[in-house]
Structures are given as structure tokens and as C-alpha cells.
Amino acid sequence: MRPILAKGHERPLTYIKFNREGDIFFSCAKDHHPTLWYTDSGERIGTYLGHNGAVWSCDVTRDTRRLITASADTTFKLWDVQSGKELYSLDFEGPARYTCFSTGEQMCLLTTDAFMGHESCIRIMEMNWEDDSMRRVQDIYGHQGRITRAVWGPLNKTIISTGEDRTIRQWDVETGKELMCIEDAHKKTIQDLEVSLDGTQFITGSLDRTAKLWDIFTLEEKKCYTTERPLNAVAISPLLDHILVGGGQDAAAVTTSSAQAGGFEAMFIHKIYEEYLGGVKGHFGPINALAISPDGRSFVSGGEDGFIRVHHFDADYFQMK
Amino acid sequence: MSSMSLAGRWGDEADLEDEDVIGEFLPDVQVFGPDSKGIKTVIEYKVRDDGVKVKITKKIRCSRKVKKVSKAVQERRKWARFGDAKGERANDNISMVSVEQVFLEKPTLDGKKKEDSSDPLTALVNQNASLLVCRICGKKGDHWTSKCPYKDLAAAKGLETGQKAPEGDDDGTSSLTLPSKSGGYVPPSMRGGGASAGSGGGGGGDSMRRGRDENSLRVTNLSEDTREPDLQELFRPFGPISRIYVAYDRDTQESRGFAFINFVNRDDAQRAIDKLNGYGYDNLILRVEWAAPRAEQG
């Protein structure tokens, strides 16, 4: 395959998100402008101007009309996807890290980092789509250090969160109480979490060089995939029994080794047999963000090197055993 | 008078005439097709810088891909650019297609290390390869009988893995190995093993076709998607292969449905015929036979 190289960001990528149909995707980076792209051609459609710090993550509604972004300038912003207009902004005490709409998009969760005496926190917001605003419903405290990811469980009854404290926690949305906590789920910071398409499993990737597959109801560890690089990003293929992991040597240590030793390729692993299927090279820095399109026929990776690479699979990928 | 003045400037006239001639005799661009194979032919004529008229024939393969998209997606394709992308043109090079091809590379370090340590079978294979003889395809040191890619094939042929292979193999191998053990002269008619007598090509013909036609099989009724690696996978278990040739259509690059396979050993080839002739591959029934030498074909 011939990947499309998109050079729209001047700083390392942080997050990539497809819309529901997969025809466009959003990229977030440490420069201040989340960007919208066409998946087919890799053309840039527009940038969302308004943030004043690194943008850590984003989420888009099912109808691709509204985008929410979380930024280190301590704000969450709601955008009109088509025009790039800022509709609503919400300011917190600490840097905003992660955000995600609930199933049905009546609610939204936001996570903020520990900062200046404030603890890190998961905040549940109620969306008001009439005037594009949010109302604070519940604050959940409990994680030590930064919360890296938090996602909605089945039927929006629970929230599953991971963080620097190497735990996976399950929370009750109504009461804000902790239901379950897996101590030492990984040996190091958990960097990424993604829920499978059917919502029954999720996968975590950690700096301890492993990715793990979990049951979303019981938080039982199903599989463990060991690699030779710290993992920053994981994704589950919606089409085949494949998972995709990416990462690489820490940016600070990159200069001490050659690009080959860094492990900067995106690795495909068989979800069930835990076998390595192959790697896709290209980035010359660690991979920070990965996303497989909803049809499973292309994937996008974003690296510390500031490049976005859009890959459309060749026929041989689908014949691979 | 006017005719006189024209005649007086005969040099100019000649120059003009030359240009006219070139302009006149450059035919229009002709476009044929696309024909049934999707090949469009464009013929154009051009005068090169050195004054030589050339005919340029271009063959273009046309294909149409239909992709269904939802209305919302169709609508989004027309979105106006905004933000930093406003006023961006195609040649701004914000995004470009990579010049180099990227492959899904099979793992090297990660995978192998694990395999070596965990799989006692592979360790055994490395230690003592001669221990391993597949009872289905007769290949030595490659795989266990239970892992033979032709397991299902043997079953389909109504052959039981336990007893069938040895007899077939013994015929083939003994006739081949016996002369090589003694090291003496073997007449050409005997070199191909016992199987050659039954295959139609007599003793004399056999020696004639040594060279590139040696131990060559013709495989017909292949599906269009079949490529060399597929055939390699299919025929390799029978023995070492020296050449695989798949006939492709010159224009469309599609397989024409037949291929030639040369085995190093004749009895391997014979075994391949026995096993694979009539084998269902990709929904088609393969026909595998000795390739007729060129002389016979003509």
C-alpha cells in the first residue's frame, strides 16, 4: 500500500478519531488546532481555531455535526463540525485530558488532570443540544495521578477509567461510587483504552510494553499481548480478529538509538491467537495515536514526528492468515 | 503581375510550403475502445524537435469502481474549506501520497524469539531433520504428517494417511535412489525414474526434452486470481520446484488460466500429477498433466 502523508500539524499528534461512516477523521496534536481530514484522499478540510494549548483528545457525535475537544489550556470546547465555529467553551481548574460522548449523546464525560492542588477528576456532563451547552451532573474522584482514558460502559450505566496509577476502575454513573478496581492491571502507565465495536470488550495499551484485552462487564483479563516497545496507542479492527498497537521508544530517548531499534512501526496482532501478523513502518518517531476506520479497510496513525499517515489496505491484508 | 511577384519570392514560398505539409499530414488523435478487456487505445502523431514525425500509441486500461456511500457522506464531500485550510489548493502539499510502497512486514524479532523457545516441535526439526517424513506428500523434514497442507486432499481422494503414501512413494524413490547410490552410468531413459515410461513420452523423447522442458507440468483450468505464490504453496510439498510460470494476458495482466511448473525430480512431478489432477482448487477442477514438448504441440 501507498500511505498518504498528511503534514498539517507542526507538533506531535495526540489523538485521532473517525466519524461513524469513516469518510472523515479528526486529528489532535500538541499544536493548538484540531484538524478535519478526508479519509479517501487525505485532503485537509479545515482546522478548529480557538484553543490555546495542546489538544489531547476529541469526540464527534454520531451524526457528525458536533465535535468536542479537550485541551491543556484547561478548556473543553464544542464545535460545529462543518463550519469550524466554536459553539461552547467550558473552563476547569486543571488541564483537560479526555472526553467522550455517552451512547445516545445525552451525556458527556470529561477528565481533568491533577493541577495546583486539585485532584484529577472524571466529570459527567449533561448535554443540552437545544443551545449546545452542558450542565455539570457528577464529579468522580478517586484516581491517583492523571486519568488517561475514561469510557462509557454498556447502557451508560458504568464508566471505565484508566490512568497513571496503573489501575482500571469501574464507576457507577448514577452514584459516582467505585464498583470495581483492578490494581496493577499493567506495570506502568496505561496510555490508551479502546472499546470494541460491539461494546463487550476493551483493550488497553501500556508503557510496560503490553496490551491487554478485558471483558467490559467483569473486568476479567482475557488476553495479554507482549511486544518489545512501550505502547502509546491501541485499536481493535471492526472487521477482522486483529488488533493494532503502536508506540515506540520514548521521545526523550529516541536520539540514543537508531530508528529501527525504536520500534516505531504499527503492529498487527491476532486478537485470539496473540500472534504477530505484521508491522507497518513509516514513522520516524513513536506512534501516539491510532485509529482503524469503521469499515476496517483503512487505518490512520499519528506520530510524535508530526505526520499523519493514512493507510488503505491492499487486497493481501484481507487474505492474510 | 501578381503571379510574377509570387514567383519572384520562390524561396519564401518553399518555406511556407514545408510548414504547410507538416501541418497537413498530422492526422487527428484517434481513440479506440475501451474494448471488452477494458483497454483503450489512443493513437496520436507528433513532430519531434528534430523534425521527425512520430506515431504514439498509448494503451490505457480503464476500470470503473463503484462505491456506495450514504447521503450524509455525499453531502460532506462538498463541504467548504474552513480555518487554516481556507483557500488551500491541490499543490500546497499538505498531504501527499507516499512515493515508496509500504508493506505489511512479517515480524522478525518479536515473533521468532517466541516461536523458538515455546515450540518443541520446531526445535526438534532443527535438530534432526531426517526424522521427519510426511506420510501424505512424502516431503522430508518440512512438516509433520498432521500438519501437511494436503491432509484434506488426501482425505478427499479417499486415501488414508496411514497406509497409502508408502507404496506410492516406494515406487518413485527406489527407482531414483538406486542408481545414484551405485554411482554408475544410468541410461537417459532410466534417469527420470520409473514413472516416465507410463507418461507417454518414450525413452528417446525424454532425452530430447531435457533443458527447460524437463519435468514440466502443465496446469490448466486455474482461476484468474491464481498467482505464482499460490502455485508454489500448492506444489511445493511434492518436492523442490525449479520454475513456476503463470501465463498472464499481456494487456490486462490477468491470468489466462494455465501455468507451467518444473520440478527438479521427475517422480515428485509424477506424484503431483497423481494427487492434484482433478483436485478442486478455488471452485475449479484442476487439470495437471505432463507438458507436451513444443514439437508435439505444433
Side-chain angles (χ1 to χ4, degrees):
Chain A
M1 49 197 160
R2 275 181 208 281
I4 301 165
L5 276 68
K7 181 86 186 89
H9 291 289
E10 279 140 29
R11 301 275 326 270
L13 271 285
T14 53
Y15 198 74
I16 288 169
K17 181 88 188 172
F18 274 101
N19 72 335
R20 184 170 68 102
E21 286 90 357
D23 61 319
I24 57 176
F25 68 90
F26 300 87
S27 64
C28 302
K30 288 184 186 171
D31 62 10
H32 309 163
H33 322 303
T35 304
L36 177 62
W37 309 84
Y38 283 121
T39 312
D40 286 354
S41 58
E43 265 174 84
R44 185 163 78 167
I45 306 169
T47 57
Y48 300 89
L49 304 174
H51 274 302
N52 207 8
V55 181
W56 289 116
S57 79
C58 68
D59 197 12
V60 62
T61 57
R62 211 172 142 80
D63 58 7
T64 322
R65 291 166 64 85
R66 296 287 181 265
L67 175 77
I68 187 166
T69 52
S71 165
D73 64 1
T74 71
T75 60
F76 291 88
K77 286 186 196 290
L78 195 67
W79 308 84
D80 180 55
V81 170
Q82 183 177 356
S83 65
K85 242 183 263 158
E86 182 184 326
L87 300 173
Y88 186 74
S89 182
L90 199 59
D91 208 342
F92 285 103
E93 300 84 22
R97 176 67 49 170
Y98 192 74
T99 176
C100 147
F101 287 117
S102 68
T103 313
E105 290 151 13
Q106 293 307 305
M107 287 183 288
C108 175
L109 69 78
L110 318 167
T111 72
T112 50
D113 289 352
F115 187 66
M116 302 278 281
H118 294 279
E119 277 183 66
S120 61
C121 176
I122 303 171
R123 297 164 199 276
I124 302 172
M125 314 295 291
E126 194 179 277
M127 302 301 301
N128 180 358
W129 292 113
E130 305 276 298
D131 60 353
D132 292 307
S133 64
M134 293 182 225
R135 189 173 65 84
R136 218 150 149 171
V137 179
Q138 179 94 265
D139 287 359
I140 300 173
Y141 293 95
H143 268 288
Q144 303 295 312
R146 182 185 296 158
I147 300 165
T148 48
R149 294 285 185 261
V151 294
W152 296 87
L155 303 173
N156 295 339
K157 283 185 176 158
T158 55
I159 286 174
I160 290 126
S161 63
T162 59
E164 262 181 341
D165 57 0
R166 318 191 307 271
T167 59
I168 299 178
R169 292 171 201 251
Q170 195 181 50
W171 311 86
D172 189 301
V173 172
E174 291 288 322
T175 62
K177 294 261 164 57
E178 187 181 304
L179 298 174
M180 237 187 283
C181 173
I182 308 291
E183 298 278 351
D184 292 321
H186 279 277
K187 291 193 187 68
K188 285 184 182 168
T189 299
I190 301 171
Q191 289 280 60
D192 196 8
L193 182 156
E194 195 182 90
V195 183
S196 69
L197 186 69
D198 60 6
T200 59
Q201 300 165 324
F202 66 91
I203 185 171
T204 54
S206 160
L207 292 180
D208 69 358
R209 297 160 192 241
T210 60
K212 289 181 180 177
L213 190 72
W214 307 81
D215 186 298
I216 207 165
F217 300 98
T218 61
L219 298 193
E220 183 193 345
E221 184 184 327
K222 296 277 186 193
K223 297 278 176 193
C224 178
Y225 314 95
T226 313
T227 70
E228 296 195 328
R229 71 217 59 190
L231 297 181
N232 291 332
V234 289
I236 306 179
S237 169
L239 188 66
L240 302 169
D241 282 331
H242 293 172
I243 63 158
L244 180 60
V245 301
Q249 206 170 24
D250 185 26
V254 158
T255 48
T256 61
S257 68
S258 72
Q260 268 182 330
F264 301 143
E265 65 262 41
M267 295 288 297
F268 280 89
I269 303 176
H270 197 284
K271 188 162 95 179
I272 296 158
Y273 304 131
E274 303 176 20
E275 270 169 7
Y276 292 86
L277 298 165
V280 178
K281 280 186 188 159
H283 283 287
F284 46 89
I287 291 177
N288 285 344
L290 279 175
I292 304 182
S293 76
D295 64 2
R297 297 186 172 274
S298 32
F299 80 93
V300 179
S301 57
E304 188 80 13
D305 54 12
F307 276 100
I308 300 169
R309 295 174 75 95
V310 186
H311 306 76
H312 298 288
F313 291 123
D314 292 336
D316 57 353
Y317 167 75
F318 302 102
Q319 289 158 4
M320 189 170 64
K321 290 196 185 93
Chain B
M1 292 296 278
S2 61
S3 66
M4 277 295 284
S5 68
L6 265 178
R9 315 187 69 164
W10 59 271
D12 290 352
E13 205 172 45
D15 271 356
L16 277 172
E17 219 166 26
D18 262 3
E19 274 167 30
D20 278 353
V21 166
I22 291 167
E24 227 169 30
F25 287 120
L26 270 186
D28 289 339
V29 177
Q30 289 171 294
V31 181
F32 304 101
D35 61 9
S36 58
K37 284 175 184 166
I39 305 288
K40 193 164 95 175
T41 314
V42 179
I43 300 174
E44 52 185 27
Y45 298 87
K46 214 170 102 183
V47 181
R48 275 203 315 234
D49 290 342
D50 55 357
V52 180
K53 233 191 285 183
V54 287
K55 175 183 173 186
I56 302 166
T57 307
K58 284 184 199 158
K59 286 197 171 182
I60 302 161
R61 189 176 167 204
C62 307
S63 61
R64 173 180 290 224
K65 274 187 190 159
V66 179
K67 193 181 173 190
K68 286 190 179 166
V69 294
S70 70
K71 275 183 186 159
V73 173
Q74 192 63 30
E75 189 59 38
R76 283 198 283 272
R77 285 184 196 280
K78 294 179 219 142
W79 278 5
R81 303 283 192 264
F82 61 89
D84 288 343
K86 208 181 255 177
E88 206 166 80
R89 284 185 311 270
N91 52 6
D92 285 349
N93 284 336
I94 290 293
S95 52
M96 52 191 170
V97 177
S98 155
V99 249
E100 57 184 328
Q101 194 94 2
V102 171
F103 299 100
L104 198 62
E105 281 173 40
K106 280 280 162 194
T108 49
L109 259 169
D110 291 314
K112 252 185 202 156
K113 215 186 241 171
K114 197 179 165 195
E115 206 174 274
D116 281 351
S117 57
S118 66
D119 195 354
L121 283 188
T122 43
L124 191 65
V125 171
N126 295 337
Q127 259 175 30
N128 198 349
S130 63
L131 263 180
L132 270 176
V133 182
C134 175
R135 290 195 304 277
I136 293 172
C137 60
K139 183 119 186 18
K140 277 186 187 167
D142 195 36
H143 52 259
W144 297 90
T145 307
S146 60
K147 296 224 172 123
C148 180
Y150 294 91
K151 217 165 33 174
D152 53 336
L153 173 61
K157 281 249 165 188
L159 300 167
E160 271 166 52
T161 49
Q163 27 119 280
K164 130 293 70 162
E167 40 181 294
D169 280 0
D170 283 344
D171 293 347
T173 45
S174 63
S175 56
L176 184 81
T177 49
L178 201 72
S180 67
K181 255 183 218 160
S182 61
Y185 173 76
V186 181
S189 58
M190 299 290 284
R191 274 179 202 160
S196 64
S199 71
D206 204 34
S207 63
M208 292 276 283
R209 75 169 82 136
R210 291 190 100 63
R212 64 174 254 158
D213 289 336
E214 191 179 29
N215 305 332
S216 178
L217 299 186
R218 186 172 72 203
V219 186
T220 47
N221 208 22
L222 281 169
S223 73
E224 282 176 355
D225 310 323
T226 314
R227 306 274 136 160
E228 280 90 348
D230 303 319
L231 292 173
Q232 171 85 14
E233 199 181 302
L234 186 65
F235 283 89
R236 182 64 185 82
F238 296 100
I241 292 167
S242 57
R243 184 182 78 121
I244 294 180
Y245 171 79
V246 179
Y248 291 113
D249 188 300
R250 205 162 51 95
D251 295 328
T252 62
Q253 298 304 312
E254 273 169 9
S255 164
R256 291 171 66 196
F258 67 94
F260 292 97
I261 288 152
N262 288 32
F263 277 92
V264 174
N265 299 317
R266 191 171 181 84
D267 54 337
D268 290 339
Q270 182 62 47
R271 226 175 30 236
I273 293 181
D274 296 344
K275 299 274 160 57
L276 288 178
N277 193 16
Y279 175 54
Y281 186 70
D282 226 2
N283 297 328
L284 293 172
I285 294 175
L286 289 191
R287 191 178 153 91
V288 183
E289 59 202 339
W290 290 106
R294 273 160 196 277
E296 279 177 39
Q297 276 174 344

